[in-house]
Amino acid sequence: MASVLHAPQRLDGDVERGPLAHVSHDSTHSDHNKPPAAPFPNGGAARPDPVPRSCSRARRHAYRRPAHRPPRPTAAPLSSILGCVSANLKKLSSLSTKGPHHVLEGDLGYTGLPGKVYAPEEGKNLPAVAFGHDWMRGVDDYHDTLRHLASWGIVVAAPDTETGLRPDHAGLAADLETTLQILSGVRLGNGNITVSPGKLGLAGHGMGGGAAVLAAVDNTKVAAVAAVYPAATAPSAVEAAREVLLPGMIIGPDSDSDAIFDPGNPAEVAFNWAGEKVYRVVKKGNQRAIPEDGLLKRLAGVGAPNSKVQQTVRGLLVGYFLHQLGGEKKYADFSAPDASGGGVSSVTGDGIASLVGFDTSGDALTLG
């Protein structure tokens, strides 16, 4: 396949950059008066072979569903069930700020799948993540978040599909799988950026978080998953979590987040998770805080972004993936179930069970 990202070029405020054809950069540095560059060195005549989406989309998930599912009970107050904390997220503050790498941005559409890819300027055997968006959202709503991950040495690609009113959740999960195939099989840059096929992860927000869980089932290519305020999906991400044996980080809402609606139950995803898991709670955090909504959406009452929550979640994602995918032991606390710090709390064991409404006071779990 042809390259998605190409050689870097100097940007205002950046240093040591050579010519970067066919890659757009941060809007604060781009020259809008120049015509867009051709997607490939020969002016676009040669396009890469499209990745057959039908192969991935043919995979649909069938999960075990209980014969009878009891009504969802009322959970205990979050403040009453936070467990003892041993690990300290000392590096969260630094990981929540921009990383050391210059970032390149490319068009995933040249591979046949709409979307964008973000990568550090150079690096060998890098970790890579496929990221899924929330309902009625698109890649542009996560531009700063995806660039942030890339600035810390993580290649990120996000399909810009299933953005309509009635999305196909299994279809988005299949597109995330296709995205991982692209990341591990397409040349990035001029060969100075390579992705390790053993360092692939899945992540997503809201609907995309649920789709990431669906895509993780029986997926031998994936090493770790991060679901940020995962929303309800069909097939059910809650039921799919029973089949996910991979390490996972689930970020759930704070009880003091002033959320207007509850489109999912991250705690249920965490409770059912079959593999190793961590459940994080960010102060004032909820699903609506993550998209990078502009002024118009906020005035219309559609968006409610929270920059502090966004920065904290970015730091959690970076630390978790650098440890789980990159194998960097200095970030091991980000995989510790009971870690806290910087406005982040963790819920473990019986605490998660209490969040989903189980009575943990006896010898066996019972609905409260």
Side-chain angles (χ1 to χ4, degrees):
M1 285 190 179
S3 174
V4 175
L5 296 173
H6 301 271
Q9 71 180 21
R10 180 179 295 276
L11 300 181
D12 296 337
D14 285 346
V15 294
E16 298 300 327
R17 287 176 173 260
L20 173 57
H22 329 311
V23 178
S24 59
H25 296 275
D26 194 328
S27 60
T28 60
H29 298 302
S30 61
D31 188 347
H32 297 289
N33 296 322
K34 292 183 180 180
F40 296 97
N42 63 1
R47 294 175 61 88
D49 297 331
V51 176
R53 297 174 66 191
S54 58
C55 296
S56 292
R57 283 187 174 275
R59 181 184 177 206
R60 290 297 183 262
H61 308 269
Y63 309 115
R64 297 195 302 268
R65 298 181 183 277
H68 171 69
R69 185 171 182 174
R72 182 171 158 187
T74 302
L78 182 61
S79 58
S80 67
I81 58 178
L82 291 175
C84 297
V85 175
S86 60
N88 194 331
L89 301 175
K90 296 178 181 178
K91 295 181 173 63
L92 179 59
S93 178
S94 62
L95 294 183
S96 298
T97 60
K98 182 181 177 181
H101 296 278
H102 295 306
V103 175
L104 308 182
E105 177 184 338
D107 187 356
L108 198 61
Y110 295 128
T111 66
L113 182 69
K116 290 184 179 180
V117 56
Y118 300 79
E121 191 173 64
E122 59 182 358
K124 303 295 184 181
N125 296 316
L126 297 174
V129 172
F131 184 92
H133 61 80
D134 196 8
W135 178 66
M136 295 291 289
R137 298 288 183 175
V139 177
D140 290 341
D141 292 307
Y142 303 92
H143 176 77
D144 290 343
T145 296
L146 303 182
R147 283 186 61 87
H148 184 90
L149 293 176
S151 76
W152 282 97
I154 302 170
V155 179
V156 190
D160 209 14
T161 59
E162 307 302 340
T163 58
L165 187 62
R166 300 181 62 184
D168 180 352
H169 300 150
L172 180 57
D175 289 339
L176 289 174
E177 294 184 65
T178 300
T179 300
L180 288 180
Q181 296 175 27
I182 294 171
L183 287 174
S184 60
V186 173
R187 181 171 63 91
L188 302 175
N190 290 323
N192 58 333
I193 306 169
T194 62
V195 168
S196 171
K199 299 178 180 179
L200 301 179
L202 289 163
H205 164 247
M207 179 185 76
V213 177
L214 298 180
V217 175
D218 296 328
N219 197 328
T220 58
K221 302 182 185 70
V222 177
V225 186
V228 181
Y229 308 111
T233 59
S236 169
V238 170
E239 299 303 324
R242 301 178 189 273
E243 312 293 335
V244 181
L245 302 176
L246 303 168
M249 176 175 70
I250 300 94
I251 299 179
D254 183 14
S255 58
D256 191 28
S257 62
D258 298 325
I260 296 178
F261 59 92
D262 182 11
N265 193 334
E268 285 190 9
V269 174
F271 182 76
N272 284 349
W273 199 271
E276 295 181 359
K277 70 203 172 199
V278 297
Y279 186 83
R280 308 293 193 218
V281 177
V282 178
K283 184 175 178 60
K284 301 288 186 180
N286 62 50
Q287 184 174 339
R288 301 182 71 210
I290 301 303
E292 297 150 14
D293 296 314
L295 179 61
L296 290 179
K297 285 187 177 180
R298 282 180 279 178
L299 290 176
V302 176
N306 185 313
S307 60
K308 177 61 176 177
V309 172
Q310 291 171 3
Q311 292 170 4
T312 302
V313 168
R314 291 166 190 166
L316 289 173
L317 290 172
V318 169
Y320 187 73
F321 282 131
L322 286 181
H323 179 245
Q324 290 290 341
L325 305 183
E328 298 190 35
K329 295 182 179 179
K330 61 184 177 181
Y331 300 118
D333 284 351
F334 286 83
S335 296
D338 54 359
S340 73
V344 176
S345 303
S346 295
V347 187
T348 62
D350 289 350
I352 297 176
S354 295
L355 279 177
V356 299
F358 281 96
D359 180 7
T360 60
S361 59
D363 294 334
L365 292 179
T366 59
L367 282 171

